[in-house]
């Protein structure tokens, strides 16, 4: 439970952090909440020579809606997201998601951006961001670039983040009228990773689906966007029959591995069941209930 | 750098230590400062026996580096009693038999204390949810819930 | 005993006195082993095997020794020089301290690094290089018993198989005949997998050998300090350790549950390192080491059969068990009972004939297997009989509550001689069950279940009516490594009327500092607040066998009462002298002797205590103290009835416990608040194996569930809101009528929950599900039966 030795750096500004990361290259890891990284170090699964702590940099912990977009800064803690008024009232799917990540104490330090940057398909926010059609803003020494979330996850524990880049903001389009989203997680106990998780976001007009976003957690080597299920729902009446078929398609898209949380068959079936439940709840919220 | 000087206020006292970068906060508290009330119960950030407050917020001190606390405030179980007077959360645990072996207790106290700083009348489910990052093997949690409710009543 | 005999100020039995140990714990001032720091102390960390079975080709310590601050690396070769590389187990098997030739389970200790600090020791461990030659692995005890299976214990000359012991009890022929004649029989293979106590404090020690006076002091997480001291003296006598110069200190212990009874290799290596270096050595295992290498619990494969006559009366029980002990039988049973008290398996029922046999087997897993609040295998036995009872009720189409009421040993048959040789002291099983049924509203629940079933909703009600057997034990049958299982109390009253009482047991959270004081208060009327209780330091405490298997109240508690009565006898003589009457003229009430017919002529116990030092009768020794070593005449038999209501999610297979009522009977109660706390904790440690916890191994012997990531200890969210109550049926042979309660709930809860889930699915034809009842297990059944969502 003791990490190997490393050097620790605590830059005071983002340019300073980026310059350090540039210098240190792949020998350095970014430390923000530390609740995914430090456990790896303690088990010596990772032994970076340097940690660059961005936790001292001011001005990175904002949650704000502006220009039709919800912006979440690099140092927003899960607990803050869960408690945020604007999130609870206008983006409840994010509050659903934050509320089931790890446990309440870990959420006091774990960051939302970190949950994406870590690239772990078992983390919960990726599925939600996929369902919401989010974008991430990534900052390097040369400036920022914006990456659609669909292009962000590239492999197991791998993202589109280049060396010496930091994920500095998540952007989520403001919810159009008649929309609603929900995240449902099947976990063996509080604090566990998902056996499977499903995020659903629906835009309804007159009870018909204009568009749907469905993301799956821990259902494959990368977070999964259930595109076939989404395509199927477009134009359909948002009813139990449609949800059942969408669930079936989502389950078919899941490519989970077997482990102590369940067999491949069980997890695929749970992806189906949870997608149906998430869709039901999203539709309820879209209908204003 | 591999070694740093950490200036941290612990239970109101300004302390200094020269530490390795990798030193975990829980070891800073237990070994550098001899505050052994905070305990270690696992190696995967699950059990919460190491819970302390960092700038008033509960954190698992086994998953925080000592160097991250430079210039900040830490409160441990030793900081709950003030001038010989127990905090209501401590009274609550004693009155309601909220502890048996006492090993998870400091973590539970800190989490309970922080909960009551933000909520005046937490219901049972809210308390169970708040302590879901703190494992106990002895009590089955029933009396811990009662202890927190006892403290809440005292504080109101 | 409904109203306490003593006032709240005295705080004798029946008072929910607040705990005397709490003030230090709520201030973070507990003194746990890892809190102990001695000048010059060094740290030890252990290199462990990644393989379940492998020959050790080479241990290269060069790189480790180069790490600044690493002082030594100890291997099996080092210890072999002192003949300490093997040690005896409590069941007279042998286990390795450190291996020379081969490792036999994943996570086995391979070498130990001694360093100046904890972090350096970890770096040293990471730098030790070990070359292994993997060997074939056996993790299935049935495969281990097949002819031609490789022999694991090649260290035992002439050993040709993996069989450890055969143990049997009962009437095989009579039972076989009863089965032939039976009107109804149910048969089931029941497997209870490995679990682990996972107390929040892991195991460890600080071993400190003083080269000048040859004294070894060890602060240790142990539930049985005296037994440890004697074992060390016997095992390491040849390297100079002598029992009068060994002091074991068991300070505050963060939960034991049986996991802190065995002697772990880490302790022995730390002691050896301290003897060699003359410096204190601290070893504290981390959680993964704890889960993977420490004494496990359960791992019983039971083939159980239960027979009944045409009227639904049980007639016979037959049970054959394969016990997987890992690579060594390091269980902590009384020596004549290799399967513990498993023969309680006829449970609460009047079964005329029974036969039970258990065969222990070696496999490539961590050694053990007695722990986790099992009362020496009573959890396994109760699970078997309660599951079989429900199964038979199901087959006979009798309501499981009615079936139990029909078959309970009736109150007028106590003391009851069971078919497997136990004399149950007292019981009122129907009383407990009826109270549970009334409390939970059983009839209404069955009605609700029928309605829900009609709508396709899955709801189950499970009952468990267990009988426990604790308080080991009478010297006729019980010993550990030959030491009889008495326990002790040494009580001394001071001139100012306060007292100190030392015991041979060791609390790990059970509240002995309070409950033992209450026993003394009950017997002598000295306020419990004035009775200082001490345990755990072998230099001062009288010899005892420690705290596990719920034996403290039955044995040491009795010793406390008996010692107090001896003190009271002397106090009577002193009172007679002070009051100038004869002893027969005195009347006792808690706290004072008064003269019959003249109650104003009295002496308080405090006045008597002072007189013992200032004005004792001529010819009598001064002082006011007594020692009692209590040899219990029998075990005690706590019991209870639990009823559990579950709802099953047809989509995910998740089981939610909606309600759980536990009615316990532990005889006379010392402290109701503490008893209730023991039940809450025990229920939670019963629910955990029923639904969540399991340690398993893949075919290569890789452990699954070796960290808290996958070993699922319940949080407050998964844990139900337990509802508790009690009945009181005193033990006729215990001085206080008390029976002990620490493990009852861990025994009774799992079958109640398992029975509830099976009951929820019984109408679909389900008869049995092995624990842990995971959502996937339930989902598979729902899918097979065509009712999954």
């Amino acid at each position: 439970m003791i990490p190997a030795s490393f050097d620790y750096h605590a830059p005071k500004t983002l340019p300073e952090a980026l310059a350090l990361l540039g210098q240190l290259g792949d020998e350095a890891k970014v430390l923000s909440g530390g609740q995914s990284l430090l456990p790896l170090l303690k088990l010596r699964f990772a032994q970076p020579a340097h940690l660059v702590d961005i936790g001292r940099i001011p001005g990175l912990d904002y949650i704000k809606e502006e220009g039709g977009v919800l912006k979440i800064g690099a140092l927003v803690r899960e607990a803050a997201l869960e408690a945020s008024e604007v999130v609870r009232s206008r983006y409840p799917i994010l509050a659903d998601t934050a509320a089931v990540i790890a446990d309440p104490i870990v959420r006091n330090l774990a960051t939302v951006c970190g949950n994406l940057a870590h690239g772990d398909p078992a983390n919960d926010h990726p599925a939600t961001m996929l369902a919401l059609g989010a974008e991430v803003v990534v900052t390097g020494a040369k400036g920022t670039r914006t990456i659609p979330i669909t292009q962000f996850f590239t492999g197991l524990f791998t993202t589109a983040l280049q060396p010496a880049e930091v994920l500095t903001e998540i952007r989520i389009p403001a919810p159009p009228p008649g929309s609603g989203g929900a995240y449902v997680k099947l976990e063996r106990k509080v604090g566990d990773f998902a056996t499977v998780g499903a995020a659903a976001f629906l835009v309804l007009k007159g009870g018909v689906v204009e568009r749907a976003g469905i993301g799956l957690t821990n259902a494959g080597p990368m977070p999964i966007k259930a595109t076939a299920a989404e395509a199927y729902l477009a134009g359909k009446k948002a009813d139990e029959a449609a949800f059942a078929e969408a669930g079936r398609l989502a389950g078919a898209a899941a490519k989970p591995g077997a482990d102590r949380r369940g067999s491949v068959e069980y997890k695929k079936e749970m992806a189906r069941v949870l997608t149906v439940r998430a869709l039901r709840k999203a539709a309820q919220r879209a209908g204003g209930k | 750098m591999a070694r740093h000087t950490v200036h941290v206020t612990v239970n109101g006292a300004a302390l200094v230590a020269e530490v390795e970068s990798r030193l975990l906060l829980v070891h800073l508290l237990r070994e550098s400062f001899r505050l052994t009330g905070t305990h270690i119960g696992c190696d995967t950030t699950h059990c919460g026996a190491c819970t302390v407050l960092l700038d008033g917020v509960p954190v698992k001190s086994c998953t925080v580096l000592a160097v991250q606390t430079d210039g900040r405030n830490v409160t441990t179980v030793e900081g709950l009693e003030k001038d010989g007077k127990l905090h209501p959360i401590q009274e609550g645990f004693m009155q309601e038999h909220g502890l048996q072996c006492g090993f998870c207790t400091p973590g539970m106290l800190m989490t309970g204390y922080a909960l009551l700083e933000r909520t005046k009348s937490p219901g049972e489910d809210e308390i169970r949810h708040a302590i879901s990052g703190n494992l106990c093997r002895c009590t089955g949690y029933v009396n811990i819930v009662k202890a927190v409710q006892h403290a809440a009543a005292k504080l109101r | 005993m409904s109203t306490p005999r003593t006032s709240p100020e005295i705080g004798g039995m029946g008072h929910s006195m607040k705990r005397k140990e709490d003030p230090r714990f709520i201030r973070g001032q507990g003194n746990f082993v890892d809190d102990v720091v001695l000048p010059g102390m060094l740290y030890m960390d252990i290199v462990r095997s990644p393989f379940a079975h492998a020959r050790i080709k080479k241990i290269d310590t060069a790189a480790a020794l180069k790490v600044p601050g690493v002082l030594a690396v100890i291997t099996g070769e080092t210890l072999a020089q002192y003949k300490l590389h093997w040690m005896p187990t409590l069941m007279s098997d042998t286990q390795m301290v450190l291996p020379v030739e081969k490792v036999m389970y994943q996570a086995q200790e391979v070498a130990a690094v001694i360093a100046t600090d904890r972090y350096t020791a970890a770096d040293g461990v990471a730098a030790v290089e070990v070359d292994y030659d993997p060997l074939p692995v056996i993790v299935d005890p049935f495969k281990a018993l097949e002819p031609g299976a490789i022999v694991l214990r090649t260290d035992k000359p002439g050993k040709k198989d993996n069989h450890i012991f055969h143990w049997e009890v009962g009437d095989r022929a009579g039972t076989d005949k009863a089965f032939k004649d039976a009107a109804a029989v149910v048969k089931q293979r029941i497997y209870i997998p490995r679990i682990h106590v996972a107390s929040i404090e892991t195991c460890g020690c600080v071993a400190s050998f003083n080269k000048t006076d040859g004294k070894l002091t060890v602060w240790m997480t142990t539930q049985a300090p005296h037994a440890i001291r004697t074992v060390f003296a016997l095992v390491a006598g040849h390297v100079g350790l002598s029992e009068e110069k060994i002091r074991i200190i068991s300070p505050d212990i963060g939960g034991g549950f049986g996991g802190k009874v065995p002697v772990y290799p880490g302790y022995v290596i730390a002691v050896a390192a301290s003897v060699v270096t003359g410096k204190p050595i601290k070893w504290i295992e981390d959680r993964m080491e704890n889960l993977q290498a420490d004494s496990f619990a359960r791992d019983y494969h039971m083939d159980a059969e239960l027979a009944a006559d045409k009227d639904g009366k049980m007639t016979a029980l037959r049970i054959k068990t394969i016990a997987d002990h890992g690579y060594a039988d390091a269980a902590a049973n009384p020596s004549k009972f290799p399967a513990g008290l498993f023969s309680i398996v006829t449970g609460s029922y009047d079964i005329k004939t029974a036969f039970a046999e258990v065969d222990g087997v070696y496999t490539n897993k961590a050694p053990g297997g007695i722990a986790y609040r099992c009362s020496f295998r009573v959890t396994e036995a109760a699970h078997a009989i309660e599951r079989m009872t429900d199964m038979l009720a199901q087959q006979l189409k009798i309501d499981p509550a009615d079936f139990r009421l029909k078959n309970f040993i009736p109150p007028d048959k106590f003391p009851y001689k069971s078919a497997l040789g136990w004399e149950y002291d007292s019981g009122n099983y129907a009383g407990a069950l009826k109270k549970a049924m009334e409390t939970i509203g059983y009839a209404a629940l069955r009605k609700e279940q029928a309605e829900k079933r009609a709508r396709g909703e899955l709801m189950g009600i499970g009952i468990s009516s267990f009988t426990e057997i604790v308080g080991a034990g009478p010297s006729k049958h019980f010993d550990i490594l030959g030491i009889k299982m008495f326990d002790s109390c040494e009580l001394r009253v001071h001139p100012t009327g306060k007292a100190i009482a030392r015991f041979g047991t060791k609390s790990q959270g059970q509240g002995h500092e309070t409950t033992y004081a209450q026993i003394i208060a009950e017997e002598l009327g000295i306020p419990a607040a004035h009775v200082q209780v001490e345990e755990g330091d072998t230099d001062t405490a009288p010899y005892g066998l420690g705290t596990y298997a719920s034996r403290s109240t039955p044995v040491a508690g009795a010793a406390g009462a008996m010692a107090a009565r001896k003190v009271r006898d002397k106090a009577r003589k002193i009172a007679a002298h002070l009051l100038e009457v004869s002893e027969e003229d005195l009347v006792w009430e808690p706290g004072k002797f008064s003269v019959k017919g003249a109650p104003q002529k009295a002496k308080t116990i405090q006045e008597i205590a002072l007189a013992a030092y200032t004005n004792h009768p001529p010819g009598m020794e001064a002082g006011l103290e007594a020692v009692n070593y209590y040899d219990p005449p029998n075990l005690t038999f706590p019991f209870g009835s639990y009823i559990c209501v579950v709802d099953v999610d047809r989509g995910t297979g998740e089981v939610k416990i909606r309600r759980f009522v536990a009615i316990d009977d532990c005889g006379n109660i010392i402290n109701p608040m503490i008893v209730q706390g023991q039940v809450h904790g025990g229920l939670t440690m019963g629910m955990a194996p029923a639904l969540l916890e399991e340690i398993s191994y893949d075919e290569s012997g890789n452990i699954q569930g070796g960290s808290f990531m996958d070993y699922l200890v319940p949080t407050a969210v998964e844990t139900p809101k337990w509802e508790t109550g009690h009945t009181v049926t005193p033990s006729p042979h215990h001085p206080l009528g008390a029976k002990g309660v620490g493990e009852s709930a861990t025994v009774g809860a799992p079958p109640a929950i398992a029975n509830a889930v099976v009951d929820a699915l019984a109408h679909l034809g389900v008869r049995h599900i092995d624990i842990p009842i995971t959502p996937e297990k339930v989902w598979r059944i729902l899918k097979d039966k065509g009712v999954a969502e």
Side-chain angles (χ1 to χ4, degrees), chain C residues 357-537:
Chain C
E357 54 183 323
V358 179
D359 286 273
V361 184
Y362 288 128
T363 58
N364 286 116
K365 300 176 185 170
I370 272 286
Y372 209 122
R373 256 171 140 152
C374 70
S375 299
F376 300 133
R377 300 286 185 187
V378 179
T379 41
E380 290 86 326
H383 198 82
I385 183 64
E386 287 305 301
R387 276 270 59 242
M388 299 309 286
T389 297
D390 250 37
M391 233 179 276
L392 192 46
Q394 189 181 351
Q395 178 160 308
L396 294 172
K397 298 196 188 354
I398 303 177
D399 174 277
D402 289 337
F403 189 58
R404 284 174 169 81
L405 289 167
K406 194 186 185 62
N407 281 285
F408 279 152
I409 302 161
D412 59 7
K413 273 205 166 176
F414 289 87
Y416 171 83
K417 203 91 214 280
S418 81
L420 294 179
W422 297 113
E423 187 182 273
Y424 294 17
D425 58 1
S426 65
N428 179 9
Y429 302 139
L433 179 54
K434 286 187 178 144
K435 185 164 183 176
M437 290 168 73
E438 198 185 294
T439 307
I440 207 166
Y442 186 77
L445 285 169
R446 283 291 176 205
K447 193 155 169 287
E448 183 195 345
Q449 182 182 44
E451 288 162 8
K452 283 204 149 97
R453 227 167 233 181
R455 295 198 297 270
E457 289 170 43
L458 301 172
M459 165 190 164
I461 306 159
I463 301 172
S464 154
S465 295
F466 65 94
T467 290
E468 261 258 77
I469 173 172
V470 301
S475 57
K476 184 155 188 234
H477 299 294
F478 290 87
D479 68 272
I480 293 199
L481 284 183
I483 306 172
K484 299 296 185 185
M485 294 184 75
F486 52 83
D487 227 284
S488 57
C489 170
E490 179 189 296
L491 172 62
R492 175 171 303 130
V493 184
H494 307 316
T496 55
K498 317 294 198 295
I500 183 164
R502 296 183 165 121
F503 293 81
T505 49
K506 177 61 211 172
S507 179
Q508 319 107 40
Q510 296 92 327
H512 294 173
E513 288 170 46
T514 308
T515 55
Y516 286 165
Q518 290 185 257
I519 290 175
I520 306 302
E522 177 73 18
E523 295 291 332
L524 285 180
I526 296 176
H530 295 165
V531 180
Q532 173 96 347
V533 171
E534 284 184 4
E535 289 174 306
D537 184 336

Side-chain angles (χ1 to χ4, degrees), chain C residues 568-645:
Chain C
R568 198 163 82 216
D569 288 344
K570 184 168 183 179
R572 181 184 284 268
K573 293 184 163 57
I574 296 174
H577 164 75
L578 294 174
L579 292 166
E580 297 173 321
V581 296
S582 74
E583 287 182 57
E584 296 73 46
D585 292 333
L586 289 173
V587 168
W588 167 256
E589 68 190 81
K592 78 166 158 239
F593 283 105
S594 56
V595 177
K596 270 188 204 142
Q600 72 283 10
K601 289 180 71 183
K603 288 292 170 194
T604 64
I605 189 72
Q606 289 79 12
E607 290 169 316
I608 294 166
L610 186 61
Y613 295 88
T614 62
N615 184 16
H616 56 282
M620 176 194 278
E621 285 181 28
L624 189 58
E625 62 190 67
V627 177
N628 181 262
Y629 283 76
Y630 188 76
D631 184 354
N634 191 7
L635 299 155
T636 60
F637 296 80
F639 61 93
S641 267
Y642 295 170
I643 305 186
C644 174
V645 182

Side-chain angles (χ1 to χ4, degrees), chain A residues 30-37 54 72-78 101 109-120 123-126 129 136 152-153 157 159 161 166-170:
Chain A
V30 172
L31 176 67
S32 70
Q35 303 301 288
S36 291
L37 181 65
I54 61 171
I72 301 171
L75 288 176
V76 170
R77 313 285 173 176
E78 298 290 356
I101 291 174
L109 288 181
T111 63
V112 185
C113 287
N115 196 265
L116 296 183
H118 195 56
D120 188 348
N123 280 348
D124 298 282
H125 277 302
M129 299 305 172
V136 297
F152 185 68
F153 304 107
F157 287 101
T159 67
L161 274 173
V166 174
L167 198 168
T168 45
E169 187 177 277
I170 302 169

Side-chain angles (χ1 to χ4, degrees), chain A residues 86-242:
Chain A
V86 65
V87 166
R88 294 173 81 76
S89 55
R90 291 174 48 72
Y91 305 82
I93 187 179
L94 290 177
D96 288 350
T97 311
V100 293
I101 291 174
D103 64 60
I105 305 175
V106 170
R107 292 202 287 277
N108 284 329
L109 288 181
T111 63
V112 185
C113 287
N115 196 265
L116 296 183
H118 195 56
D120 188 348
N123 280 348
D124 298 282
H125 277 302
T128 297
M129 299 305 172
L130 285 168
L132 289 172
E135 298 178 315
V136 297
V137 177
V138 155
T139 308
K142 300 205 185 90
T144 65
R145 55 197 184 100
T146 306
I147 308 174
I149 195 73
T150 46
Q151 294 167 23
F152 185 68
F153 304 107
T154 56
L156 181 63
F157 287 101
T158 331
T159 67
L161 274 173
Q162 295 300 311
E165 279 187 326
V166 174
L167 198 168
T168 45
E169 187 177 277
I170 302 169
R171 291 188 179 161
I172 294 153
S179 68
Y183 182 69
V184 178
K185 176 177 181 176
L186 177 62
E187 57 181 358
R188 297 174 298 176
K189 59 170 260 199
V190 168
D192 197 13
F193 286 110
T195 300
V196 159
F201 182 73
L202 291 172
V203 183
L204 303 183
K205 192 158 179 191
V208 172
V209 178
E210 279 198 349
R211 98 182 124 86
I214 299 175
L216 298 176
T217 298
N218 221 5
M222 291 195 304
I224 289 183
K225 187 165 159 67
T227 47
E230 292 170 341
Y232 163 79
L233 281 171
K236 300 279 187 309
K237 200 150 168 278
D239 61 16
E240 280 300 316

